Amino acid sequence: MAAASAIGTVIEFYDFGIYATAAALVFADTFFPALGEHAGSVISYATLGVAFVARPLGSILFGHFGDRLGRKRTLVATMSIMGVATMLIGLLPPAASIGVVAPIALVVLRVAQGLAAGGEWAGGALFTSEHAPQGRRGFWAMFTNLGGAFANILALGTFLITGLYMSDETFTSWGWRLPFVLSILLVVVGLFIRLRIDETPAFQAQAKRQRSGDGLPFKDAVVHQWKEILLGAGSLVMSVSLGYIGIAFLTNYGTATLDLPRPQVLGAGMFGNLMNCLAIIAGGILTDRFGRRRVLLIANIVGIPWALALFPLLDTKTLGTFWLGMSVTFLIAGVGFGVAGSFLSELFHTRYRDTAAGLAYSLAGVLGGAVPPLVAATLISSYGGLVFGVFLAAYCLVGLLCTLALRETRHRQLA
């Protein structure tokens, strides 16, 4: 059960992780050379954000089928789409060969990734939540995001190994493509696992009660629980923003702005995601003992001063402070990610849970995952890192206020 849930987010976040890393390191030169280094980097991050914008649509589309046809079938479809799109990005010719077709095709494939990811997370989280015993639901539900943290380690490690055994010219020319093409191996393993699992008991019970006249899952979710969708998204923007600043922006910041060695920067990212794994596990365990709301409140509170301190710390330009900055950033984000699976699953009715939970998480992705990396370079270059720290601290404050507005969900039944 845990493996079936985690393998999907391993593939999803591996694909997102290698895209974010490639966007930071090579996409500006490969697909947007005519724009120059700074503008090319900004557009590269914009293509990263395209998938986040597509994720809510994917949540609605695949959430509909997950609520009507079952979690299992939908998870097989989302995994297949994500894997194929990622492999095709690795095979996409550069702008120097096919001109403007290259960046257009990149955006199309990125949209496909986003649609698939929008349906993947909720299905995976619900698969563990709806199978798990109530008193251990937080622990089992955290495996969905634990797979994502492990995938980030895998993605960064693949780039690190690839870069170590290649010259910079070779890596920029074609070496960056290997992690994308190799992702198809993960898809094969994932499909093998998911095709052997059973549907969740909560969905099976709901399917027996389902009538032909029941409303659309998206419509019912928006009509009956629109506040919970928005507040659930807001409660997680801190974790998503810190997590994607770590995996997407700080990699580029460490190499381009701080002028640190690329292997050390990638190594710091891998270690930070190891801390992320430990924090996700801790968050899942603590949330079963102390409640979802309390753990998430503490994570948001701790995030505020850390956001303000992060860039002044990084701007000392030492390897030690960069590793520390990466590690603490991922630790704080990881606690929130450890709560997300159980918390969002318990907020919504079974009839539209896949759609609503996926939509809430995807909206958090748009606000926290797409916007901060996109505006970071402009804010920091114009006003300095402290101003961007204030921007991140505001996200943590939003997360705090939204969590305060929600009730504890630990004792709710999912059937």
Side-chain angles (χ1 to χ4, degrees):
M1 177 182 67
S5 172
I7 188 63
T9 46
V10 167
I11 294 171
E12 173 195 344
F13 280 88
Y14 174 81
D15 294 348
F16 266 56
I18 59 176
Y19 191 99
T21 306
L25 297 176
V26 299
F27 276 5
D29 293 330
T30 303
F31 295 109
F32 309 102
L35 299 177
E37 182 177 350
H38 177 72
S41 295
V42 172
I43 297 300
S44 294
Y45 287 126
T47 63
L48 177 67
V50 163
F52 287 104
V53 176
R55 284 179 76 158
L57 299 177
S59 299
I60 296 170
L61 174 63
F62 291 108
H64 173 86
F65 293 112
D67 286 322
R68 286 295 177 88
L69 302 179
R71 322 304 190 203
K72 175 181 175 177
R73 295 182 187 180
T74 307
L75 287 173
V76 169
T78 55
M79 179 182 293
S80 302
I81 294 170
M82 174 69 79
V84 171
T86 302
M87 184 183 68
L88 291 177
I89 289 175
L91 300 174
L92 187 63
S97 299
I98 59 174
V100 72
V101 175
I104 293 174
L106 180 68
V107 171
V108 171
L109 292 172
R110 189 65 181 147
V111 169
Q113 282 188 320
L115 291 173
E120 173 62 43
W121 184 88
L126 299 192
F127 206 84
T128 49
S129 295
E130 292 180 345
H131 271 296
Q134 181 174 323
R136 298 279 287 165
R137 191 181 294 143
F139 172 77
W140 288 109
M142 66 84 188
F143 276 94
T144 304
N145 279 334
L146 183 64
F150 175 77
N152 288 335
I153 297 174
L154 187 63
L156 290 167
T158 306
F159 273 103
L160 178 61
I161 294 171
T162 303
L164 285 176
Y165 289 94
M166 294 180 179
S167 65
D168 287 345
E169 292 76 16
T170 304
F171 178 81
T172 303
S173 176
W174 62 269
W176 65 268
R177 299 177 180 275
L178 291 178
F180 287 86
V181 176
L182 291 175
S183 69
I184 199 66
L185 300 177
L186 289 174
V187 175
V188 173
V189 174
L191 289 175
F192 176 78
I193 293 174
R194 285 192 169 173
L195 289 171
R196 297 164 63 89
I197 57 179
D198 296 323
E199 189 53 78
T200 70
F203 175 78
Q204 291 176 341
Q206 174 62 32
K208 292 178 181 178
R209 296 191 300 270
Q210 193 165 285
R211 302 182 300 272
S212 59
D214 285 346
L216 295 174
F218 172 69
K219 178 182 177 182
D220 287 346
V222 172
V223 169
H224 297 295
Q225 289 194 273
W226 64 270
K227 289 183 181 179
E228 286 84 354
I229 292 173
L230 295 179
L231 291 173
S235 69
L236 295 173
V237 292
M238 177 278 295
S239 294
V240 178
S241 61
L242 290 185
Y244 275 94
I245 280 295
I247 192 65
F249 180 74
L250 291 187
T251 301
N252 178 267
Y253 193 74
T255 55
T257 302
L258 303 181
D259 201 28
L260 298 174
R262 187 173 66 200
Q264 287 284 354
V265 170
L266 293 175
M270 292 176 66
F271 184 77
N273 274 284
L274 176 60
M275 296 298 100
N276 196 18
C277 287
L278 297 177
I280 288 171
I281 295 170
I285 293 172
L286 291 172
T287 197
D288 280 330
R289 182 170 182 179
F290 300 107
R292 327 299 187 209
R293 186 172 176 268
R294 185 180 299 177
V295 174
L296 198 53
L297 282 173
I298 293 172
N300 279 294
I301 290 170
V302 173
I304 294 173
W306 177 250
L308 297 173
L310 176 58
F311 282 90
L313 179 70
L314 294 177
D315 288 342
T316 60
K317 298 185 178 182
T318 67
L319 283 173
T321 54
F322 187 80
W323 279 62
L324 178 63
M326 274 283 201
S327 301
V328 177
T329 299
F330 277 117
L331 273 172
I332 298 171
V335 174
F337 283 131
V339 180
S342 56
F343 192 45
L344 291 186
S345 297
E346 293 161 348
L347 274 177
F348 303 107
H349 192 283
T350 306
R351 189 173 71 252
Y352 47 76
R353 182 176 294 136
D354 199 330
T355 301
L359 185 56
Y361 195 79
S362 295
L363 289 175
V366 172
L367 294 173
V371 177
L374 183 60
V375 304
T378 301
L379 281 181
I380 292 173
S381 63
S382 301
Y383 305 105
L386 182 59
V387 172
F388 182 65
V390 173
F391 180 87
L392 287 179
Y395 268 59
C396 298
L397 181 60
V398 169
L400 176 62
L401 295 176
C402 289
T403 307
L404 283 170
L406 290 166
R407 296 180 180 181
E408 179 55 55
T409 62
R410 178 173 40 147
H411 300 297
R412 292 184 182 176
Q413 298 288 337
L414 292 189

